[in-house]
Amino acid sequence: MPFLDQTLWNKKVFNGQWLDSSRSYDVIDKGSSEVLGQIGYADANSILESSVIAKKMQGTWWQKTYLERQNIFENAVKVAQEYQNEIIDWLMKESGSLRMKAAFETQITIQILKNCISLPTSNQGQVLPSTNGKISLAKRVPLGVVGVISPFNFPLYLAMRAGAPALALGNAVILKPDERTAICGGMIIARIFELAGLPEGLLHVLPGGADVGEAITLDKNIASIQFTGSTAVGRIIAENAAKNLKKVSLELGGKNSLIILDDADIEIAVANIAWGVFLHSGQICMTSGKILIHESIYQKVKNRIIEKVLDYSVGNPSDESTTIGPLIDIKQANRVIQLIKNAVQHGAKLEIGGTSEGVFVQPTVLSDVDNNNPIFSEEIFGPVAVLIPFSTDEEAIALANEGDYGLSAGIITSNAGRGINLGQQLQVGLLHINDQTVNDETLNPFGGFGASGNGTRIGGPANIDEFTQWQWMTIQSQAPQYPL
């Protein structure tokens, strides 16, 4: 049987076994609109059933030795490496990724699994000072059941980024992938861990709509929520989770500034702009949403970006000549076109693009945008370069910091010291001197300020903070006699 044969997952959900579902949702090839099958569609009752099982099995999982848990992740790496070509093909079809992006996403997902091999053997706590004859320990213990609600844009990586370390640190996981990418964001992960030997009942993959997400946030058996997605939905999740005092990690949207200083090399600047704006058709939370260009080189940079865009080819990712693939669905494509039209009505100049055919949006350049234009503040999630001139470093800082988001920023300059000085004044969680805004290396604590998150971080050293909690334990040879 192939790694992910259709007979395995069609019209099914996963709880350690592949279970028939009474509801289903079409799996669509985003480039060709071909129906590839149907994924099972969960409901609120599915969450309750799974959370009971997961809570029971989590205790057994935590009782296993660290070597047993480590062995599962060593196996998972081997499985993912063996079937990576099939995984890449699924990412191209279901998420509309170019092969380059799909291959990169697969590789960093495998790296996440490699990183998790060391988590069961990581430091489990500290010995604290205490009185003689008494041992005082601060221990790291699992949260219990972790709910993961993941997005469509990097579906495999962003689901694994949370689910894998949560499992490695002794938790059970209930994963709700976006229904539009439920194979890449859910069933591939289920299959990897099934073949790796993960005990049944520890990982549940339950695609569904808003009702399923709401059930995860309200279920009392689920101790924590890790959500990656829009700020608007993040606010709802936080409100629901607060009703049961759940721990919540929110990785949300961004309107990220890429600042091109007047001493920047033009060609290097343009290459960074193109990558930061147009990678995966702009469907990345770290996309360079505001291109701030010093007025002395503004015209040159603008002209070179337009020249570059003229060479782009929009189409099916299966065509090797394609440079801009489809958006996730027609609703998103229509939204992007409306944002462009609204920006032009508010004074932006449409230099190129601004049209669409179905899910395919032409790469677009908008120039002469100011901070009164709605598109200055709105996250686009489409292939649109928003060019904004500035005259001084102080103005660039003010423009970059304006707005509710604070995820990522990049600065291109020939003077790294100047870039560092400027960058230290930016209110962002991710800062790149001499690079564009789209960066993630699996070992970095990832997260943003303001409306880009709730101050939590995920990845690298942040994983232990995110997926465990402290327990204080004292040990004495004999219980004391108290005077009352």
Side-chain angles (χ1 to χ4, degrees), residues 211-284:
D211 59 326
V212 175
E214 181 180 52
I216 290 174
T217 64
L218 296 174
D219 192 296
K220 293 182 179 180
N221 293 314
I222 299 174
S224 172
I225 306 293
Q226 202 291 313
F227 169 75
T228 303
S230 73
T231 299
V233 175
R235 295 184 193 278
I236 296 170
I237 287 173
E239 183 178 353
N240 284 344
K243 296 174 183 177
N244 288 309
L245 301 178
K246 294 183 192 291
K247 186 175 184 178
V248 181
S249 166
L250 301 175
E251 299 299 339
L252 307 176
K255 187 67 174 181
N256 312 291
S257 296
L258 177 54
I259 301 173
I260 312 299
L261 297 180
D262 54 357
D263 59 4
D265 179 280
I266 300 295
E267 292 305 312
I268 290 175
V270 169
N272 277 265
I273 293 168
W275 185 266
V277 171
F278 297 113
L279 180 63
H280 197 40
S281 301
Q283 297 176 111
I284 305 173

Side-chain angles (χ1 to χ4, degrees), residues 441-454:
E441 295 182 359
T442 78
L443 290 174
N444 52 287
F446 185 99
F449 297 173
S452 292
N454 63 333

Side-chain angles (χ1 to χ4, degrees), residues 278 303-313 323 351-353 362-363 365:
F278 297 113
N303 291 342
R304 283 294 293 121
I305 282 291
I306 294 169
E307 289 173 8
K308 204 170 188 68
V309 168
L310 283 169
D311 290 334
Y312 287 166
S313 174
T323 47
E351 299 284 355
I352 191 171
Q362 291 293 321
V365 176

Side-chain angles (χ1 to χ4, degrees), residues 104-125:
F104 172 73
E105 182 172 355
T106 301
Q107 285 303 309
I108 59 172
T109 300
I110 292 172
Q111 186 60 51
I112 286 287
L113 291 170
K114 290 180 179 179
N115 297 348
C116 286
I117 292 172
S118 66
L119 286 178
T121 63
S122 60
N123 191 314
Q124 300 296 302

